[in-house]
Amino acid sequence: MLQRNQMDITTYHQKYFRPSCLQALNLRFDTPEFYSLFSEKAHDQIKLPSELTITPEETLLNYFSVLREAENLGGRSCGTVGQARTPFPIAYNFLSEEYQRKLTYEDYFHSFAGVGHTSLIKLCRVPDIKHGIRFFYEIETIEGFEGKRAEYFGYYYGFIQLVNEKEGYRISDLSKIEEDFLCAPYHGWSHDAEAVVEVKYGSWCKLVQKIYPTVKNGYVKNIYFRGNDGANYCLIFFTLTNGTDVEIAQFRKVGNGKWKLIKMKPEEECLTEKRRR
């Protein structure tokens, strides 16, 4: 298990306490002309150009590009920030009809309270056990707080589901999880992919026979291990800006067969069984 004292101070500090140095992915619509097409229009008066939603990835890049300079700071007094609130009704139209029925425009708008700028720094399509269209994303925001005269950076990640409607792809569900920057470096093993495999799949489930060296590619970690059941396993993790590894997908392969997407739940399947004994 990777412990704090196994890292030199420079590596440890850079991993857990420094912000992202990744380039933003949502840099489209950088002129006022795009937003002028929708100015003075309510959310239910806007019709998105079809070219904005022709593929799932294009849909999300355009969605976050629209939101890049959307501002809902409240009491900031330094003048107009970005495109102010013009982007919000545009962005709302990237949601599916069903999602809009669950999430009103007012609730959608208020979900951005305090946000003055949004940068998309990670976007990757990930396997979906239900064979849907699912993406992982991470954003960096600039946020203001009541009583403060300066803004601060915040980081969030989550998963997005999309559906193909008659007018193009739309977002059918979106989760947003705050990243903490102090729990990961100071507490526990659950933030580290290698330790997660050792504890959850090894100690809890007694499944691990041999763990192979981690394969890293940017923020993606692939951890392979040989199971006590004779099968091979591959667990995919993504590393967040705060240094935490998030488990994305699990695959299992028997012999020379193909990798198959699976869904193991060690907390339910292994810990629960232990408590019953």
Side-chain angles (χ1 to χ4, degrees), residues 20 22-26 119-123 137-140 155-156 179 219 241:
S20 175
L22 294 177
Q23 293 187 352
L25 304 174
N26 57 330
S119 295
L120 176 67
I121 56 175
K122 294 188 180 94
L123 182 68
Y137 78 98
E138 186 180 17
I139 56 174
E140 174 187 83
Y155 293 86
Y156 303 82
E179 296 182 31
Y219 61 84
T241 297

Side-chain angles (χ1 to χ4, degrees), residues 20-181:
S20 175
C21 58
L22 294 177
Q23 293 187 352
L25 304 174
N26 57 330
L27 298 179
R28 301 175 178 183
F29 317 131
D30 59 345
T31 62
E33 285 74 21
F34 172 80
Y35 297 97
S36 67
L37 298 173
F38 309 99
S39 62
E40 308 301 326
K41 290 185 178 180
H43 67 89
D44 54 0
Q45 297 174 318
I46 290 174
K47 181 178 175 62
L48 293 179
S50 59
E51 62 267 21
L52 297 183
T53 58
I54 56 176
T55 69
E57 186 172 9
E58 284 291 300
T59 299
L60 294 179
L61 289 173
N62 289 325
Y63 172 72
F64 283 107
S65 290
V66 168
L67 285 174
R68 184 183 70 253
E69 295 194 343
E71 171 268 312
N72 187 10
L73 287 172
R76 197 71 172 106
S77 59
C78 64
T80 301
V81 174
Q83 298 296 332
R85 299 183 176 183
T86 300
F88 290 116
I90 306 172
Y92 186 70
N93 280 274
F94 280 84
L95 307 188
S96 69
E97 293 180 0
E98 182 178 354
Y99 198 15
Q100 288 185 4
R101 285 193 289 270
K102 297 177 183 177
L103 180 67
T104 67
Y105 175 72
E106 289 71 24
D107 288 340
Y108 176 78
F109 173 74
H110 288 304
S111 71
F112 292 90
V115 176
H117 193 93
T118 300
S119 295
L120 176 67
I121 56 175
K122 294 188 180 94
L123 182 68
C124 183
R125 186 164 181 173
V126 296
D128 184 13
I129 199 75
K130 297 180 180 179
H131 307 291
I133 304 172
R134 187 171 186 247
F135 280 78
F136 166 88
Y137 78 98
E138 186 180 17
I139 56 174
E140 174 187 83
T141 60
I142 301 177
E143 303 182 20
F145 297 91
E146 188 175 353
K148 296 286 186 179
R149 293 180 58 83
E151 288 76 42
Y152 303 87
F153 287 92
Y155 293 86
Y156 303 82
Y157 75 97
F159 297 90
I160 303 174
Q161 297 284 154
L162 294 99
V163 293
N164 192 1
E165 296 187 335
K166 60 183 179 181
E167 295 183 346
Y169 287 92
R170 294 292 189 274
I171 296 168
S172 59
D173 191 52
L174 185 151
S175 64
K176 182 181 177 184
I177 304 168
E178 296 175 329
E179 296 182 31
D180 72 78
F181 277 80

